[in-house]
Amino acid sequence: MKNRKIIALGLSAALTLSLAACGGGNTAESEAPSESAAVESAESGKTYTVGICQLVQHEALDAATQGFKDALTEELGDSVKFDEQNASGDAPTCATIVNGFVSDGVDLILANATAPLQAAASATDSIPVLGTSVTDYATALEISDWTGTVGGNVSGTSDLAPLDQQAAMIQEMFPDAKNIGMLYCSGEPNSIYQVDTITKYLTDMGYTCSNFAFTDSNDVASVAQAACDASDVIYIPTDNTAASNTEAIANVVIPAKVPVMAGEEGICKGCGVVTLSISYYDLGVTSGKMAAKILTGEADISSMPVEYAPTVTKKYNAANCEALGITAPEGYEAIAAD
């Protein structure tokens, strides 16, 4: 058995995060549960209650939750009920929510983002826990001998496009840039993981990388300004605090004419110019299919490897590109406007 250190329940609000990294070529697709699962559940009268703890409301996490609910409902029909709760970005609230799920005896917990995953892993070792929108499970759960499977009662899906490909996009888009500013929340360990990893790739490409970390939404704008003053390009990883404050970031970077390469589409839509995007809805669908197999006994969660987004897409923010005089290369897809 691998050693899995469990994060204490008393997580500070500064430790809120989402994250999950995956490398190219390591994607895995869920096998669809039996088509008769919903019929069997209805005939047996079996019902399931699924507790959903989502860290904060923003476009990416909302899409993952919806995809999960849609997929699980399609598989199990009316036999599944959801208790959906949002922690409003507060890690201790995640612990309160999942402890309530444990007390209620739910059949499965969906932990949408890293802080809910950490709280759920701390709260129970018997109720199945699926994470989604988590950058790196080894970082989130402090697993030193990561093999792709958490083990025990935890598995899930990972949300990050390959970091080496993101670094290559920066080189493709901004070959003349010299200084890359890393803008992220210091309280999100998976953001730190992404920044540390992509910095190695960019440094090997000849860029100089500098870190600009904000602690919470109160200092996002001031830190973004410092990043603009020192950088030719800014990189923002998949980061929940950044995702919830894209307007504040845009109000700094667009007037400063500093382009942002974003780790995910929601951040790019708000303040970036390009991203290597996954579909959070599809990621949620994958999680929902995993949940159906667990609930119906078709799969043992302890042996289920963490799964990754099956495809990535190069996308650009047309309005921000126009404002900064940037032309996206061939093969980039425009992000749909609201």
Side-chain angles (χ1 to χ4, degrees):
M1 292 291 291
K2 61 169 68 64
N3 293 323
R4 172 154 62 95
K5 298 181 183 177
I6 300 301
I7 306 302
L9 289 178
L11 291 167
S12 68
L15 288 178
T16 57
L17 54 124
S18 87
L19 305 289
C22 68
N26 291 327
T27 59
E29 295 184 21
S30 293
E31 295 179 7
S34 168
E35 294 179 0
S36 64
V39 174
E40 291 174 357
S41 296
E43 290 178 347
S44 67
K46 174 67 175 177
T47 60
Y48 308 97
T49 300
V50 175
I52 300 175
C53 179
Q54 181 173 317
L55 175 61
V56 67
Q57 183 176 5
H58 66 65
E59 185 174 349
L61 300 190
D62 292 348
T65 292
Q66 191 61 54
F68 174 82
K69 292 168 62 179
D70 288 350
L72 192 49
T73 299
E74 181 177 352
E75 297 293 339
L76 300 182
D78 293 337
S79 64
V80 61
K81 306 297 181 184
F82 300 101
D83 182 355
E84 183 177 350
Q85 299 189 43
N86 193 295
S88 300
D90 184 59
T93 300
C94 293
T96 300
I97 291 170
V98 298
N99 283 330
F101 292 157
V102 173
S103 296
D104 292 341
V106 300
D107 297 293
L108 183 142
I109 296 171
L110 177 73
N112 191 349
T114 304
L117 175 67
Q118 291 173 327
S122 295
T124 179
D125 61 4
S126 58
I127 297 173
V129 174
L130 284 176
T132 193
S133 311
V134 176
T135 303
D136 181 64
Y137 283 74
T139 298
L141 299 176
E142 297 188 10
I143 301 171
S144 60
D145 55 343
W146 179 247
T147 61
T149 301
V150 177
N153 65 318
V154 178
S155 187
T157 55
S158 170
D159 69 349
L160 186 65
L163 289 163
D164 57 342
Q165 294 183 38
Q166 293 187 38
M169 279 184 65
I170 292 176
Q171 187 177 51
E172 177 182 40
M173 290 293 303
F174 313 107
D176 298 327
K178 299 183 182 301
N179 299 303
I180 312 296
M182 303 289 166
L183 183 64
Y184 63 98
C185 178
S186 60
E188 301 196 23
N190 278 314
S191 293
I192 297 171
Y193 166 83
Q194 293 170 78
V195 165
D196 289 347
T197 302
I198 199 169
T199 292
K200 295 175 184 176
Y201 292 125
L202 291 169
T203 300
D204 288 345
M205 294 174 179
Y207 294 103
T208 298
C209 299
S210 302
N211 291 351
F212 297 90
F214 47 83
T215 57
D216 54 37
S217 59
N218 293 321
D219 61 343
V220 166
S222 61
V223 175
Q225 185 61 62
C228 285
D229 293 342
S231 310
D232 302 312
V233 177
I234 290 173
Y235 172 76
I236 301 177
T238 303
D239 182 292
N240 282 308
T241 308
S244 299
N245 289 274
T246 56
E247 182 177 359
I249 297 171
N251 288 340
V252 175
V253 299
I254 301 302
K257 301 293 185 182
V258 178
V260 168
M261 161 72 186
E264 60 95 5
E265 183 174 336
I267 294 175
C268 187
K269 190 174 184 178
C271 63
V273 293
V274 290
T275 185
L276 190 61
S277 177
I278 68 165
S279 166
Y280 276 83
Y281 180 86
D282 289 347
L283 199 69
V285 167
T286 298
S287 303
K289 291 180 178 180
M290 293 173 73
K293 295 173 73 174
I294 293 165
L295 291 171
T296 58
E298 295 180 52
D300 179 357
I301 191 171
S302 67
S303 61
M304 297 178 79
V306 169
E307 299 202 22
Y308 301 95
T311 59
V312 293
T313 306
K314 292 180 177 181
K315 292 191 174 185
Y316 70 98
N317 182 320
N320 287 350
C321 283
E322 182 178 359
L324 274 60
I326 294 171
T327 301
E330 292 275 342
Y332 281 62
E333 179 182 317
I335 294 173
D338 289 330

